[in-house]
Amino acid sequence: MKYLLLICSETADGFPDAAPGDLDAEPWVEEMTRRGVRLDGNRTRPAEDATTVRVRNGAQLLTDGPYAETKEQMAGFDIIDCADLDEAVEIAAKHPVAKFGMVEVRPFWTE
Amino acid sequence: MRDAVKEAVATAWSQEWGRVVAAVIRQTGDWDLAEECAQDAFERALERWPRDGVPRRPGAWLTTTARNRALDRLRRAANESVKLREAARLAPGQPDAAPPDEVLPDEVLPDDRLRLIFTCCHPALPLPAQVALTLRTLTGLSTAEIARAFLVAEGTMAQRLTRAKNKIGNAGIPFRVPPPELLPERTTAVLAVLYLLFNAGYAPGAAGPDQRRVTAEAIRLARLLAELLPGEPEAAGLLALMLLHDARYAARTDAAGDLVPLEAQDRSRWDRRGIAEGTAVLEAALTARRPGPYQVQAAIAACHTQAADAADTDWPQIALLYGELARMAPGPVVELNRAVAVAMAEGPRAGLALADALAEAGELSGYHLLPATRADLLRRLDRPGEAESAYREALSLAPTEAERRYLARRLAEVSHP
């Protein structure tokens, strides 16, 4: 099954409790790529660099910022393909951000 | 004869429902289909058994019938390729042939009901859904009965069940017994759900027939789990704890439905068979020498049931066990119970010191049993003024009518000695 992992912070100012190096995801990326479960992923720029697009009555409406104003912020994403939710949770729990922020595990729509 | 057959179907309903549903879920992955086909199988039993006789193995007959029914339905719906793949996963069979009354080959595999319990109690599901799903799929209780037992509208309960079943499929929650590295944690979660079930039916004030059935089903599931997980003494510990509590069920309330505290209970109304079974289950569990919170709580309950009367109770032993429990599963409620036991073992002054420390820590603010306990200890220390105000506080916090009546009586005693 495919899952989107949303790598998130719980505060607007990122991960204040993390020391430099604590959030290095490279070893995790290497491990999950080697295991063949990580398909893609990246860090994303902060919400202030986001643009939200709507089309209404044929007209494009652009707003500066994310689609939802929350103090939790998405800092990156990964797409994984694994056996089931138990494996997805195990993979998410190993991500360094899980210790300082949180990781949402969202299944892909199938059929 | 007809009545005997009806009774056989009713017995099979309570004993085999979970097995039938679990088998069809494993084979089709479709929870709704499994429930519908289990229902169909029991209806067919009502038609067939009076004519053909009750099969030697009713569970196997029902499972095969339900499975064939599922295969039949999937074949009929097999115009979609997805459904075709599902149908292909089922062993080829003749859906219309009479089900064989013989040992099924998959009965040598781990019990499907164990897979079902672990899946229903998966931590990715919200706790109320875990509880509801465990009852709905592993026991023959209907959605309406479960809704009544938990005092929610039937529609709310149906929605809770549907959402949980959808999440299992959509999020990829596996239908299996967890692997060894996850097993201890998941077993703890399953035991917690079963104990929650038991307490939902056992709590003071929850005395309706639906709640009583929930208690009985919780015991049945704990029995099943203890049987399926022989290497887990806490499963047996939980079963022992339920049996020992349940043995006191009839004596817990008086004719008016009012709560009777343990020391005032008519011990001749305790169920001796339940006590004997609970004690034997506990003793067997303790031989594994891997104690846990359920075994310790069962040991405390066993101490109470062994005493001929309240004065005969081995309070020093109970206080010791609460100390052990506080070490394994620390928490303010355990600490409060320890205070009560210490008061009985060493005198009200020692107990009050522990209860006062809890009141000062503030963790139990709003919990009526803390002021109620302090009130009792103050009364025994002959400090009626303080006892009175503590009883008043407890009275304002007590959640059930039965408890309020009990506290009001005690309050009247200290205010007008």
Side-chain angles (χ1 to χ4, degrees), chain B residues 103-387:
Chain B
V103 180
L104 296 167
D106 54 27
E107 284 186 22
V108 298
L109 296 174
D111 196 294
D112 287 334
R113 287 171 299 178
L114 195 55
R115 295 186 175 95
L116 187 52
I117 291 182
F118 276 105
T119 308
C120 289
C121 299
H122 195 283
L125 297 172
L127 193 57
Q130 294 179 31
V131 168
L133 204 56
T134 301
L135 274 178
R136 180 65 195 112
T137 59
L138 278 146
T139 78
L141 292 191
S142 69
T143 304
E145 286 168 324
I146 298 166
R148 285 204 302 272
F150 286 87
L151 308 174
V152 302
E154 189 181 342
T156 309
M157 186 55 78
Q159 200 178 26
R160 191 177 291 176
L161 287 164
T162 304
R163 280 191 53 194
K165 283 184 273 192
N166 286 345
K167 183 166 182 187
I168 288 169
N170 295 336
I173 293 176
F175 186 68
R176 63 163 185 195
V177 176
E181 70 273 15
L182 293 177
L183 194 59
E185 197 188 324
R186 292 284 176 81
T187 304
T188 304
V190 169
L191 295 174
V193 167
L194 295 190
Y195 196 37
L196 204 68
L197 271 179
F198 178 83
N199 282 322
Y202 192 77
D210 295 301
Q211 282 81 11
R212 197 71 192 114
R213 284 189 64 192
V214 167
T215 304
E217 290 300 337
I219 292 174
R220 219 173 51 79
L221 290 173
R223 203 186 288 283
L224 175 69
L225 196 69
E227 194 182 293
L228 296 175
L229 291 175
E232 180 44 83
E234 278 291 87
L238 176 62
L239 172 61
L241 177 61
M242 288 180 182
L243 289 167
L244 291 167
H245 276 324
D246 196 57
R248 300 202 301 253
Y249 188 88
R252 273 183 337 151
T253 46
D254 61 19
D258 280 3
L259 203 64
V260 182
L262 190 58
E263 70 265 20
Q265 286 177 11
D266 174 1
R267 293 177 187 228
S268 70
R269 294 178 70 200
W270 288 359
D271 168 18
R272 289 289 142 195
R273 262 184 52 195
I275 291 171
E277 192 196 352
T279 308
V281 170
L282 174 64
E283 277 167 5
L286 291 172
T287 59
R289 299 206 167 277
R290 281 189 288 132
Y294 293 113
Q295 291 169 80
V296 173
Q297 290 176 82
I300 292 167
C303 274
H304 285 301
T305 56
Q306 277 154 17
D309 54 52
D312 181 50
T313 308
D314 187 352
W315 287 107
Q317 173 69 10
I318 291 175
L320 211 68
L321 287 166
Y322 270 117
E324 186 69 5
L325 186 60
R327 199 181 54 74
M328 291 171 170
V333 174
V334 173
E335 208 48 43
L336 180 61
N337 285 321
R338 190 166 81 88
V340 173
V342 166
M344 296 302 288
E346 297 169 23
R349 198 171 303 280
L352 186 63
L354 291 172
D356 283 347
L358 271 170
E360 222 155 277
E363 274 181 272
L364 283 178
S365 64
Y367 184 55
H368 68 291
L369 289 182
L370 177 54
T373 302
R374 289 191 62 250
D376 272 337
L377 297 175
L378 288 162
R379 178 178 55 83
R380 280 157 57 191
L381 286 165
D382 209 17
R383 287 155 64 176
E386 290 162 89

Side-chain angles (χ1 to χ4, degrees), chain A residues 26-88:
Chain A
E26 266 320 300
W28 179 87
V29 168
E30 271 169 38
E31 180 189 343
M32 297 312 160
T33 308
R34 204 169 44 241
R35 243 168 80 173
V37 291
R38 182 178 175 275
L39 304 182
D40 197 3
N42 217 326
R43 291 178 64 183
T44 54
R45 301 285 316 173
E48 66 193 47
D49 293 335
T51 306
T52 302
V53 181
R54 294 175 180 81
V55 178
R56 297 289 180 274
N57 302 321
Q60 269 184 25
L61 303 170
L62 301 189
T63 1
D64 174 43
Y67 78 95
E69 289 288 354
T70 58
K71 65 178 169 50
E72 297 82 8
Q73 300 287 335
M74 183 179 85
F77 72 94
D78 287 277
I79 295 168
I80 59 169
D81 190 355
C82 60
D84 52 39
L85 185 64
D86 282 349
E87 191 180 5

Side-chain angles (χ1 to χ4, degrees), chain B residues 31-87:
Chain B
W31 290 57
D32 288 328
L33 182 72
E35 271 176 36
E36 284 160 24
C37 292
Q39 190 93 33
D40 285 354
F42 281 97
E43 276 163 24
R44 189 165 296 194
L46 275 176
E47 287 164 29
R48 291 279 187 90
W49 293 4
R51 199 184 69 204
D52 304 344
V54 177
R56 205 156 36 82
R57 299 172 54 86
W61 189 98
L62 289 160
T63 303
T64 309
T65 304
R67 186 191 298 170
N68 285 343
R69 185 90 187 99
L71 177 58
D72 201 22
R73 287 224 201 162
L74 288 175
R75 279 195 178 142
R76 268 184 222 168
N79 44 8
E80 293 168 61
S81 61
V82 176
K83 298 285 179 192
L84 261 176
R85 278 203 301 278
E86 259 178 37

